[in-house]
Amino acid sequence: MRLNIHLFIFFVLIILSSCGDDKKDEPNNPVEPVTRTWINIERETPFRETPLMAPYERSFGRKMWTTRVVEDSGLKGKGGDYYYWEQHKAEAGTMEELLALCDVPEDKLYAMSTRNLALTCFMHPYNGVYDFYNVLYESVFTMTLANCYQELMQRLTGATELLNLYCELDYPKSKPVNTTAGLSYEDYNKNTFENILHLNGLTLFLMTAVDFNALNKEQLSVLSSEIFKKIDNIATADEGVYDYYTMRFPYLLGAFIAYHYDEQLNDEEATLLYNYTGFSGLPGVAGGQSFTSEDVSRSTLIIIQSLERMK
């Protein structure tokens, strides 16, 4: 099962700090080189501009959602394999080669449409490693070791396609089945525990797009409405399907929107949300200080009110 793949990758990442670049050649399947056109773009300035994840960006040395991006309107490639690691893992002779298979070959990566690139990130083995970290935001930067995440953040419509995919997916209301979700998006079974795992990972990645100002006001309005749908699906699901662990993902995403873009938040409310999104990744302890259940309840109310204003 792919959950075991996630666990395997997590332990390997403790030993190795990055993936390699080498891939075995694929004969009889030549791909024309892709000409990449880089352009500079402007983004709207959020009310509270400094990204909450900025310390992780500095410590990992990896720029997130830069304003120099690849113009992607002419890119239509499928990229071939949404689950390259699963299909080629038997070819690896060493641990380094095995981790290198987590990267998509560059000829396919650069030709891939941005829609398919977002799907690749969603289906990728790294999209589940967050589940093994106490610090959620550290896990996001571990996920972006894979080159498909790095490429998506450099595409002109990368954040748009990430948002579109988030709107397509949802948390199942009935008890999920404990089977593999599928190796391609076309046959993906959305009523599985694995779908929940990957949707949570996608939510984390979408938090970086909000935090580093990659979405415009109209997109944030769409996202705010979609967060309500996610919260409602979790809250109205069959008894015992979800607990607060899953519910915190849409709430944390909403907290990032509220913190950066709601001009009606006062300083005390903004500080409370800052603590709610605390670097422990758990809204129980933030900034080294105790975070009470009353603080959590008040924070979620502020998030709901703020998202209502953003819709």
Side-chain angles (χ1 to χ4, degrees):
M1 270 182 63
R2 210 181 306 172
L3 288 177
N4 294 329
I5 293 171
H6 294 142
L7 185 59
F8 169 80
I9 290 175
F10 168 71
F11 286 116
V12 171
L13 285 171
I14 297 176
I15 303 171
L16 300 173
S17 59
S18 64
C19 290
D21 296 322
D22 295 334
K23 297 282 191 303
K24 292 194 173 186
D25 293 333
E26 295 188 17
N28 304 320
N29 187 27
V31 178
E32 291 294 326
V34 175
T35 301
R36 292 161 69 77
T37 303
W38 294 84
I39 58 175
N40 294 318
I41 59 171
E42 294 184 1
R43 292 196 172 120
E44 298 180 56
T45 302
F47 185 66
R48 295 175 184 83
E49 190 171 0
T50 303
L52 297 178
M53 298 186 210
Y56 290 95
E57 184 184 43
R58 290 192 296 269
S59 63
F60 277 80
R62 189 172 303 120
K63 297 296 291 182
M64 307 288 283
W65 299 102
T66 60
T67 55
R68 185 171 183 267
V69 297
V70 175
E71 207 292 315
D72 56 3
S73 60
L75 299 177
K76 303 183 184 301
K78 286 180 60 178
D81 308 314
Y82 292 131
Y83 209 54
Y84 192 87
W85 190 93
E86 178 68 27
Q87 294 179 333
H88 293 274
K89 61 183 179 182
E91 300 173 10
T94 66
M95 195 73 76
E96 288 85 353
E97 290 178 359
L98 191 60
L99 280 181
L101 290 175
C102 291
D103 278 350
V104 179
E106 286 189 353
D107 54 359
K108 292 183 178 181
L109 183 72
Y110 296 158
M112 201 180 298
S113 72
T114 304
R115 160 70 178 180
N116 285 334
L117 186 56
L119 290 173
T120 300
C121 291
F122 176 68
M123 301 290 292
H124 197 275
Y126 275 26
N127 199 33
V129 298
Y130 73 87
D131 206 32
F132 304 104
Y133 285 79
N134 288 329
V135 183
L136 283 177
Y137 310 129
E138 182 175 312
S139 71
V140 171
F141 285 84
T142 302
M143 287 160 58
T144 58
L145 284 170
N147 64 355
C148 56
Y149 293 92
Q150 297 173 43
E151 176 68 12
L152 186 67
M153 290 189 289
Q154 294 182 91
R155 293 287 184 89
L156 177 62
T157 61
T160 299
E161 293 296 350
L162 193 64
L163 172 61
N164 291 341
L165 182 56
Y166 183 76
C167 292
E168 287 179 21
L169 299 162
D170 214 333
Y171 293 96
K173 287 192 172 186
S174 57
K175 186 176 181 179
V177 295
N178 192 23
T179 63
T180 185
L183 297 183
S184 70
Y185 190 70
E186 286 76 8
D187 66 5
Y188 195 78
N189 185 346
K190 297 179 182 179
N191 190 36
T192 63
F193 287 105
E194 190 173 1
N195 175 57
I196 297 171
L197 184 76
H198 280 251
L199 182 51
N200 289 345
L202 183 73
T203 304
L204 278 176
F205 192 32
L206 195 51
M207 285 180 205
T208 69
V210 175
D211 198 32
F212 289 91
N213 191 28
L215 296 170
N216 60 37
K217 293 286 182 66
E218 290 182 3
Q219 291 171 323
L220 289 168
S221 177
V222 171
L223 180 55
S224 298
S225 297
E226 192 60 36
I227 289 172
F228 276 113
K229 295 179 184 177
K230 301 288 192 284
I231 291 174
D232 182 68
N233 254 36
I234 295 171
T236 58
D238 293 346
E239 185 177 355
V241 174
Y242 300 107
D243 55 20
Y244 185 73
Y245 175 82
T246 302
M247 181 70 85
R248 68 178 174 155
F249 285 91
Y251 270 116
L252 280 170
L253 180 55
F256 275 86
I257 297 174
Y259 178 83
H260 283 301
Y261 292 96
D262 188 354
E263 299 183 18
Q264 295 188 38
L265 285 186
N266 59 42
D267 290 343
E268 189 270 337
E269 290 172 328
T271 299
L272 189 65
L273 290 189
Y274 179 88
N275 290 333
Y276 179 82
T277 62
F279 291 145
S280 68
L282 300 171
V285 180
Q289 299 177 352
S290 177
F291 206 65
T292 67
S293 58
E294 182 180 342
D295 291 330
V296 173
S297 297
R298 185 156 178 247
S299 297
T300 54
L301 178 60
I302 291 171
I303 292 166
I304 291 296
Q305 293 171 337
S306 181
L307 293 179
E308 284 284 4
R309 290 192 287 267
M310 294 293 297
K311 286 170 56 178

